[in-house]
Amino acid sequence: MNSAPVGAGTKRRRSVLLLVAAGALTAALVVTGWFVVSRDRPGGPEGQVTEVPNIFPVPQHARPGTGSPVPLNGHVYIVAPSGTDQASIAAVQDLVAGAGGTAEAVTSLTSPREGASAVFLGSAATVSSALQALRLDSDPEIQDALGRAEGYALATGQSAGIPTAVLAGSDGDGVFHAVQTLRQLVRGGSVVPVRVADWPLMETRGVIEGFYGTPWSHQARLDVIEFAGRQKMNTYIYSPKDDPLLRDKWRDLYSDQELQELQELIDAAADNHIRFSYALSPGIDICYSRSSDLDDAVAKLDSLYSLGVRSFVIPLDDIATKVQCAEDLRAFGSGQANLAKAQASFLNDVNDRFISAREGVLPLETVPTFYNGSASNPYKRELGQALNPGIVVQWTGEDVVSHRITQDSAETAGLTYGSPGSPRSLVIWDNYPVNDFSQDHLFMAPVIGRDAKLHESVRGVVTNPMIEPYLSLPAVFNYADLSWNGPGYDPDKSMSAALSLLAGPDPEVQAAVRAFVDLNQDWQDDALTPSAPQLRRDIDQFWEDYDAGRSPSGGLKARAELLQRLPELLPRMAEPGFSTDATHWMTAAAQYGRGVEEALVMLEAAKRGDVQAATMARRNVQGALTAATAKTQPTLELGVVTPVLGDSELKAFLDRALQQVPGS
C-alpha cells in the first residue's frame, strides 16, 4: 500500500544473530542494570531464590526458581523424545556448545553419569516424567500455558538425581519458543533457576515486506526471518511492492531460479517456525469477472503451494477505486459498492477453488482497496456483506500511517468490514517503521501508541518495515514484544534490549548505536517520539551555558566526538548488517560531528578574540556542513537523496553557530 500519510501538513511526512548475540544481550543487560524481579513473586518450596533476568518478549508468568543453576558447561543430556522439533534440538546443542559443554542427544534418560545435567525438550506429553519430577504437573500456570496454542513451560530443578531444565511446549511452536527463552537465561554457563509459563496473546505476529522501493536482498530476507523466529514471531508475508511478479506481471509464473530462492525462504521460515505467506496483488489490471484471470491467479498460488506455502494473501490496495474493464462493468456496474461486489466475487472464487480445495491451507487474507479507517462507507458495507466470512481483512488503523491504534477503533473496524452479528477477523498491517514515503529519513523510535489490549479485538499485527532491513530490526523486536504480550510491553525497555542485542557487549559500540538511534528517533512530529532527544538536550544545555557566559558542560563536545567515531564503531556491532544499512546516515552524522566540534572551537576562539583561529574553524564548519548535506543515499525511483538526521537539529545548530561568528 502507499504509506504516504494523509493530512500530514507541510512537514515531511546472514545469519542475523549467532550464538554470540545471545551472550551479547546477557552482557549488555548486566552492564546496563537490566535485572529485575519478575512481576510474579517467588513461592513454593524453600531453597535458593534468584532474580529472573528480563525476558523478551515479556512472558505471561515468570518467577524465580528454587535450587541451583543448571550447568551447561559440562556434559549435558538433551532428552528429546522421538518426534521433537529438530530445529529446537539443534538450537539447544548450539547453546550447550557456546557455554563450553558437551551435548549428548538421547530419547530417554535412565542412568545419567555423575556430574552431568539434563535438558528435557518436547511436548508436554513426551516430557511428562520431567514435569512430574519438578512438581510442575499440578502447577495451574504451567497447565494453562501448555493448554494454549504456541504455549510453553520452562523450569529448573532436579530430575533423575541431576540438575535439570525442562522445556515443554503445547505444540512444536511452543517447544521452539521455549528454546528462545532459554537463550536468555544462560548466565556464566548455567541456566538460572526459573519457572516460566508463557503463551502469545495474538495469533498472528510478524513482518510484511510490503513497502515501495528497493526490495530486500535474498540474504536480508533470510536474516529477518531468523531474527523474527528468535523473537517468537510466526509470520513473514512476502509482498514487496516493486517485485513485478507480484503486481505488474502477476499472471507470470516464476522461473526455476526464482522458485529456488523462494524455496530457500520457505524452508528457512519453517526452520524458524515462521509461516511464509505469499501475497499476490492482481488489482492493477484484473477483470474480476474474467474466468481466465481467476485461472491465472489459482495457477500462480498453486505454484507456491507446491513449494510448501500454506498461507496466502490477495492484496487489493493502491489500485483504482472503481472497476476497470468492460466485463466487470456489465457484471457488477460502476461505483464503490460495485467494486466491493466484484472483489468479493473474485476472492470468494479463489477461496472456493483454491483455499478450501487444498489440504492444510490457512484462511485467505486480503487487503481491501479502502483499507484504513473504522467508519463505514458503501465499499466497506458491500464487502462486509458479500465477502466470505472466513476471509481475513488486513487493516492499517484509522490512517494509512496510524500514530495510534486503539482497541475501540479495531472493534469498530471489525464490525465495519463484517456483517451484522459477524465481525470480520482483522490483522493490523502496521505502517511503522516503513519509510518509503520519506526515503531520506530513518524511523527508529520505539513502537508506541498501540493499545495494550488490541489482542482482544484483532487476530494479530504485522509490521511493515523500512527499505533498510537491518535498521528495521529494533522495531521488529518491539512488535514481537507487543504482539506476544501487549499488557507487558514497555517501549523503552523493549527498545533498549533490542539495541543491546544488536550492538553486542562492547560499551563503546553500545553508546555509538544509541547515539545513532537518537539521531533517527523522530517520527512525523509525534509528541511521543521527539526529534533526537539526547542530542537536543546537549544542544540546549550548550546554548544555555554559552548565552549565560558559562563554560560549556562538555556534553555536546563528547557527543560530537562520538558521532565522528560512528563509521569506526558501528561496523563492530554483533549485527553487521546494521552498519551496512546505515552507511550514508552514519557518514553524514560523522561529518556533522566534525562540524559541531569545529563550531565549538570557532565559538570559543571568537569569544577570546582569536580572529585567525575563528576564521579557520568557520571554514571547517562550512566544509563539514557541505559534506554532511551531500546527496549520497540511493533510492529506486527518487535518485540520490540527502540523508536527514535528527530532523535537521544538527544543521540548525551549525547554522546558528555560524550566525554567531559572521564571516569576513
Side-chain angles (χ1 to χ4, degrees):
M1 60 191 60
N2 186 340
S3 49
V6 176
T10 57
K11 182 86 174 176
R12 58 99 184 110
R13 286 279 317 154
R14 357 182 250 174
S15 178
V16 64
L17 291 169
L18 302 176
L19 187 59
V20 65
L25 177 58
T26 299
L29 296 180
V30 172
V31 168
T32 55
W34 272 73
F35 281 83
V36 296
V37 176
S38 165
R39 290 180 292 116
D40 297 333
R41 294 295 175 178
E46 294 183 357
Q48 180 183 353
V49 178
T50 62
E51 294 181 343
V52 178
N54 274 299
I55 300 168
F56 296 93
V58 175
Q60 307 304 327
H61 303 287
R63 64 180 70 233
T66 59
S68 301
V70 178
L72 298 184
N73 52 8
H75 192 89
V76 181
Y77 294 101
I78 300 176
V79 188
S82 178
T84 301
D85 176 59
Q86 290 300 309
S88 298
I89 296 172
V92 177
Q93 290 172 327
D94 287 344
L95 276 173
V96 172
T102 301
E104 180 182 350
V106 297
T107 57
S108 61
L109 187 61
T110 53
S111 301
R113 69 171 66 177
E114 186 177 352
S117 54
V119 175
F120 283 79
L121 184 68
S123 68
T126 60
V127 297
S128 58
S129 61
L131 290 171
Q132 292 171 3
L134 272 58
R135 300 179 182 177
L136 302 176
D137 52 322
S138 59
D139 185 309
E141 292 174 352
I142 298 291
Q143 295 308 308
D144 189 13
L146 294 177
R148 297 174 182 261
E150 299 187 67
Y152 71 91
L154 191 159
T156 58
Q158 288 273 329
S159 176
I162 61 174
T164 295
V166 58
L167 283 67
S170 64
D171 48 31
D173 293 333
V175 174
F176 187 77
H177 298 329
V179 176
Q180 310 321 309
T181 294
L182 181 68
R183 294 181 191 277
Q184 302 176 63
L185 297 174
V186 180
R187 301 289 183 268
S190 297
V191 183
V192 300
V194 71
R195 183 171 292 195
V196 179
D198 197 15
W199 63 88
L201 296 183
M202 285 191 182
E203 180 179 341
T204 297
R205 313 175 305 282
V207 176
I208 179 166
E209 185 184 343
F211 51 81
Y212 291 89
T214 305
W216 288 348
S217 70
H218 183 64
Q219 186 60 52
R221 289 172 179 144
L222 292 170
D223 289 347
V224 171
I225 285 170
E226 182 179 357
F227 184 86
R230 290 204 176 191
Q231 308 317 317
K232 304 189 182 87
M233 283 182 157
N234 65 0
T235 301
Y236 165 75
I237 303 177
Y238 180 80
S239 187
K241 286 295 192 288
D242 285 297
D243 180 340
L245 291 179
L246 288 180
R247 288 174 68 83
D248 295 345
K249 300 179 180 179
W250 64 271
R251 297 175 180 85
D252 295 352
L253 297 178
Y254 288 99
S255 68
D256 290 344
Q257 175 61 36
E258 290 163 335
L259 288 174
Q260 183 177 338
E261 287 200 345
L262 285 168
Q263 184 70 72
E264 188 173 354
L265 292 177
I266 294 161
D267 291 345
D271 288 344
N272 288 279
H273 288 254
I274 296 289
R275 178 172 65 239
F276 183 97
S277 188
Y278 182 80
L280 184 67
S281 300
I284 291 177
D285 63 357
I286 190 173
C287 271
Y288 298 105
S289 59
R290 187 180 295 163
S291 60
S292 61
D293 276 359
L294 176 62
D295 292 341
D296 287 339
V298 170
K300 189 68 167 283
L301 299 182
D302 209 27
S303 70
L304 275 296
Y305 181 87
S306 67
L307 299 182
V309 178
R310 297 295 183 267
S311 177
F312 298 90
V313 186
I314 305 288
L316 298 170
D317 55 318
D318 300 344
I319 60 173
T321 55
K322 57 184 179 180
V323 295
Q324 296 294 292
C325 66
E327 296 101 307
D328 284 348
L329 284 170
R330 288 193 297 270
F332 303 107
S334 61
Q336 289 184 9
N338 289 323
L339 173 65
K341 187 180 297 184
Q343 291 177 344
S345 174
F346 174 77
L347 292 167
N348 290 342
D349 286 345
V350 171
N351 196 65
D352 292 341
R353 277 193 51 185
F354 177 76
I355 301 296
S356 300
R358 302 294 188 280
E359 183 179 355
V361 177
L362 296 172
L364 179 65
E365 300 189 18
T366 188
V367 183
T369 302
F370 293 89
Y371 51 76
N372 68 285
S374 60
S376 185
N377 63 23
Y379 172 92
K380 294 178 183 177
R381 280 194 295 274
E382 180 61 37
L383 189 73
Q385 293 172 5
L387 189 65
N388 184 301
I391 296 176
V392 178
V393 162
Q394 295 184 4
W395 172 75
T396 65
E398 291 297 338
D399 300 303
V400 177
V401 177
S402 295
H403 285 229
R404 306 290 182 270
I405 302 179
T406 68
Q407 183 182 11
D408 287 346
S409 177
E411 287 181 352
T412 302
L415 295 170
T416 298
Y417 287 101
S419 58
S422 181
R424 179 74 55 184
S425 182
L426 298 180
V427 168
I428 296 173
W429 171 322
D430 205 339
N431 274 318
Y432 186 80
V434 65
N435 64 342
D436 54 7
F437 60 90
S438 187
Q439 296 182 34
D440 52 354
H441 284 77
L442 302 174
F443 301 129
M444 303 193 72
V447 176
I448 49 95
R450 276 64 183 139
D451 198 310
K453 294 185 177 181
L454 276 174
H455 63 276
E456 296 178 357
S457 305
V458 301
R459 188 186 191 96
V461 59
V462 291
T463 168
N464 189 17
M466 292 186 283
I467 296 168
E468 294 75 25
Y470 299 96
L471 295 181
S472 301
L473 294 180
V476 172
F477 188 102
N478 287 173
Y479 276 105
D481 206 3
L482 170 69
S483 58
W484 183 274
N485 183 3
Y489 171 66
D490 182 306
D492 291 333
K493 288 183 179 180
S494 183
M495 178 58 73
S496 184
L499 298 182
S500 294
L501 177 64
L502 295 165
D506 187 324
E508 283 191 321
V509 175
Q510 286 209 30
V513 171
R514 293 173 193 277
F516 180 81
V517 169
D518 177 70
L519 289 180
N520 296 286
Q521 177 168 309
D522 180 56
W523 185 43
Q524 299 184 295
D525 274 347
D526 195 300
L528 295 184
T529 58
S531 169
Q534 299 304 314
L535 169 68
R536 184 178 288 185
R537 179 203 62 193
D538 290 340
I539 289 175
D540 289 347
Q541 184 63 55
F542 173 82
W543 287 123
E544 182 181 329
D545 293 338
Y546 181 85
D547 293 341
R550 298 189 298 265
S551 296
S553 65
L556 184 58
K557 184 176 188 298
R559 186 167 296 274
E561 292 171 348
L562 181 57
L563 295 184
Q564 291 177 78
R565 296 187 63 199
L566 291 182
E568 165 205 344
L569 293 173
L570 294 188
R572 288 161 43 186
M573 292 174 61
E575 174 43 70
F578 189 103
S579 65
T580 301
D581 275 358
T583 295
H584 299 295
W585 281 274
M586 74 179 177
T587 300
Q591 292 293 344
Y592 274 123
R594 180 170 70 90
V596 170
E597 190 167 39
E598 291 290 350
L600 300 181
V601 171
M602 176 186 71
L603 293 169
E604 178 60 32
K607 267 195 170 183
R608 68 174 186 267
D610 189 338
V611 176
Q612 182 178 1
T615 300
M616 181 177 295
R618 194 178 199 282
R619 285 198 299 267
N620 292 339
V621 171
Q622 291 173 321
L625 187 56
T626 298
T629 56
K631 292 184 177 182
T632 57
Q633 177 62 28
T635 69
L636 186 63
E637 296 177 340
L638 304 176
V640 182
V641 299
T642 298
V644 176
L645 293 148
D647 196 27
S648 302
E649 295 289 336
L650 287 162
K651 184 178 184 301
F653 172 81
L654 295 181
D655 287 342
R656 180 175 174 182
L658 289 169
Q659 291 171 5
Q660 299 288 322
V661 185
S664 56

